Amino acid sequence: MYGSKRKRRLHSVAVLLGPLSFGLTILLLEWFFGFKAAAALGTTVWMALWWILRPVNISVTAFVPIGVNALFDLIPMQQVISQYFSEIIVLLFGADLVCLTWATTGLDKRLAIKTLCCIGTSLRQQITVWLLVATVLSIFLPNVVVCTILVPVAVSMLQFIGEENIKNSKLAVPILLAIVWGAGIGGFGSPLGGAANLVAISYLEKLTGQEFMYIDWVVRFLPLLVLVLLLNLFFLFHLPVPVKRLAGTSEYFKEMYAQLGTIRLGEKISLVLFAAATLLAFIRPLYAGWLPALKPAYVFLIMGLLAFTFEDEDGKALLTWEFAEKGVMWGMLFLFAGGLALGSLVTETGAALKMAEAITLLPLTGGLETVFAFTLFSTVLTEISSNTAAAAIAVPVVQSIAQALGLNPIPYLFVAIVAFNSAYVLPVSIRAIPVSYGLDPAELFKNGLLLSLCSVLLITVVGYLFIRYWPLFSTV
């Protein structure tokens, strides 16, 4: 009885901390930010606390922006509501439909065993491969597509070796973090890494009056990408884990894979749908001129819809709506959308611009402190919104402040680009995907916060050294 009362009391405290922190944030910040912007930041604090303490399901927290906006009319409601069925949500829904066929056909087991055969059972080897694959793929594909492709495969592998409860699995933490962090940092490896980079390029081209070639981007950012990647790898290697190897041996899994026999018709169709969606997303630049509306989101949705029309080798439907209705990760869709809605509140109320205004009050001279301020500003923005929204705000702000200080803005813009592609802490944007599959938000917050601090310091120091001693970093 005592234990249950204490549990109810702690639950009540956790529930109340959300709205109380919202009100306290407004009281502390309204004098500088104004009511609406302070309320947007208060919403961020509220959601962060509920995501960490979890007095309600993390997907329920995703609807807080709607409730807050309905009560206080911070921005037009359509700008909030539209985030709950945006293009990214369509992509996640379509990918979820495609991946559901893995369970109905047995492809999930085949992929899991094959992954274990190819990567091996050493946990460090697993971490390294997942991190590298996610990073490399996100250089060429949007990071949300990369996470959508890799996370279900990794989860299937983990569940196959007995880690059924991903939420309580210590082995799942480094592997899922390797995927989502790799997909994030790989974004600045090339302009193809996401819309945020294209925003940055548009400003750079207007600033210089010349085209910024993709090869020029790669040359300037590759050294920083390697260093950030090594930092991530070092951090992941030092996470506490119960074992150094996954259950089983490579020989055992190779033998088990052989016992599966020849791939069946249903598995083939499921694999083709998944591979076709991934390939079409990858080669989009080749057909974008002819099919400008066929973006990766709609490719995955089309493949997901096609899954309902096919039958397996036994004449059974590859996917039925009854199964999809139960199997679709609705929580993931809402969690991702909630992060987008939060980003809309932060940007549209002017909270982000007021944060930028605070930077102008600092005694900046163009040295190490300036690089740190720009890095921290861009990192915080991308943590509480999306990297595209962060780019749209950070790039013009960094440019204008650098020019006001009489500095060449180009190297400082490069530093900001790296920073708004390096987010690790809150289950916002792509970090919502592994959390929806079971990764504990507290693990994401605890590990991500420390890595984020290290990342800010690394980007600051290396960026400053590049500005001082690498002339190519200051030109386009």
Side-chain angles (χ1 to χ4, degrees):
M1 179 66 72
Y2 174 77
S4 61
K5 285 184 178 179
R6 183 173 182 273
K7 188 176 180 180
R8 287 197 302 270
R9 193 179 302 117
L10 290 174
H11 174 267
S12 300
V13 170
V15 169
L16 291 173
L17 276 177
L20 287 176
S21 64
F22 171 78
L24 182 60
T25 303
I26 294 175
L27 287 175
L28 293 175
L29 300 182
E30 185 178 6
W31 67 274
F32 179 77
F33 285 87
F35 177 78
K36 290 189 175 182
L41 294 176
T43 306
T44 303
V45 177
W46 180 346
M47 294 175 71
L49 282 172
W50 273 15
W51 275 329
I52 295 166
L53 300 175
R54 285 178 295 165
V56 297
N57 187 281
I58 55 175
S59 298
V60 173
T61 304
F63 292 98
V64 168
I66 298 178
V68 169
N69 199 57
L71 288 171
F72 299 102
D73 194 25
L74 304 180
I75 62 175
M77 184 58 84
Q78 182 59 31
Q79 295 181 9
V80 177
I81 294 296
S82 62
Q83 304 302 323
Y84 289 82
F85 205 72
S86 63
E87 188 174 295
I88 293 179
I89 303 304
V90 173
L91 186 152
L92 293 171
F93 178 64
D96 212 1
L97 292 178
V98 173
C99 292
L100 281 176
T101 64
W102 297 3
T104 61
T105 63
L107 182 63
D108 54 351
K109 184 177 181 180
R110 187 178 294 274
L111 287 175
I113 299 174
K114 191 64 177 177
T115 302
L116 288 161
C117 291
C118 294
I119 300 178
T121 56
S122 164
L123 190 56
R124 285 200 168 190
Q125 192 172 329
Q126 286 276 337
I127 291 170
T128 303
V129 172
W130 286 115
L131 180 66
L132 286 174
V133 169
T135 302
V136 172
L137 284 180
S138 65
I139 291 175
F140 306 101
L141 290 170
N143 51 21
V144 64
V145 175
V146 174
C147 273
T148 301
I149 293 169
L150 296 182
V151 169
V153 178
V155 169
S156 295
M157 179 197 72
L158 288 163
Q159 291 176 334
F160 178 76
I161 62 171
E163 300 293 315
E164 292 290 342
N165 191 340
I166 299 297
K167 178 180 175 182
N168 295 325
S169 171
K170 292 297 182 182
L171 292 178
V173 173
I175 292 175
L176 294 181
L177 289 181
I179 293 173
V180 72
W181 288 349
I185 63 173
F188 72 85
S190 84
L192 301 174
N197 298 339
L198 300 179
V199 171
I201 284 180
S202 68
Y203 276 93
L204 286 167
E205 290 181 339
K206 289 178 184 177
L207 181 65
T208 62
Q210 64 188 50
E211 184 178 359
F212 188 28
M213 298 295 182
Y214 281 17
I215 186 62
D216 294 327
W217 177 290
V218 174
V219 168
R220 286 157 180 78
F221 286 102
L222 186 58
L224 267 167
L225 177 57
V226 170
L227 291 172
V228 173
L229 175 66
L230 290 174
L231 173 65
N232 277 253
L233 189 60
F234 176 82
F235 192 89
L236 287 164
F237 277 176
H238 288 82
L239 291 179
V241 288
V243 295
K244 293 183 178 181
R245 302 189 70 86
L246 304 182
T249 64
S250 295
E251 291 73 19
Y252 168 75
F253 292 119
K254 288 177 182 178
E255 182 181 339
M256 182 171 288
Y257 189 79
Q259 292 174 359
L260 291 178
T262 307
I263 187 170
R264 296 185 296 273
L265 177 63
E267 292 178 88
K268 288 180 180 179
I269 297 173
S270 179
L271 186 59
V272 167
L273 291 174
F274 178 74
T278 302
L279 178 63
L280 287 171
F282 190 82
I283 65 170
R284 171 164 166 73
L286 299 180
Y287 63 82
W290 291 279
L291 297 169
L294 191 61
K295 297 179 180 179
Y298 311 118
V299 169
F300 274 92
L301 180 63
I302 290 171
M303 296 302 168
L305 295 177
L306 284 175
F308 290 97
T309 69
F310 288 106
E311 294 182 342
D312 64 14
E313 63 279 359
D314 298 321
K316 295 180 181 178
L318 206 65
L319 186 63
T320 65
W321 180 250
E322 290 74 20
F323 185 81
E325 196 173 21
K326 297 176 182 177
V328 167
M329 301 185 68
W330 304 107
M332 175 178 67
L333 306 184
F334 294 136
L335 180 59
F336 205 108
L340 296 176
L342 175 62
S344 291
L345 287 182
V346 172
T347 54
E348 297 300 325
T349 58
L353 291 177
K354 291 296 288 186
M355 291 167 63
E357 185 181 322
I359 294 178
T360 63
L361 302 177
L362 300 174
L364 304 178
T365 61
L368 190 64
E369 84 292 339
T370 305
V371 179
F372 175 75
F374 289 159
T375 301
L376 184 62
F377 172 61
S378 301
T379 301
V380 170
L381 275 183
T382 198
E383 287 289 358
I384 60 178
S385 59
S386 66
N387 55 3
T388 303
I393 296 168
V395 170
V397 166
V398 169
Q399 178 180 327
S400 60
I401 294 176
Q403 289 175 325
L405 293 172
L407 303 169
N408 174 12
I410 291 174
Y412 297 97
L413 290 176
F414 288 161
V415 171
I417 290 168
V418 177
F420 63 62
N421 279 286
S422 304
Y424 305 99
V425 183
L426 294 177
V428 175
S429 189
I430 61 170
R431 297 174 299 284
I433 296 176
V435 168
S436 298
Y437 275 87
L439 179 65
D440 190 344
E443 289 284 351
L444 179 68
F445 181 86
K446 177 182 65 177
N447 296 307
L449 183 60
L450 181 56
L451 179 56
S452 185
L453 293 173
C454 295
S455 177
V456 167
L457 293 176
L458 175 68
I459 295 169
T460 298
V461 172
V462 175
Y464 174 72
L465 292 175
F466 280 8
I467 292 171
R468 287 287 304 273
Y469 302 109
W470 189 24
L472 192 64
F473 197 69
S474 299
T475 59
V476 295

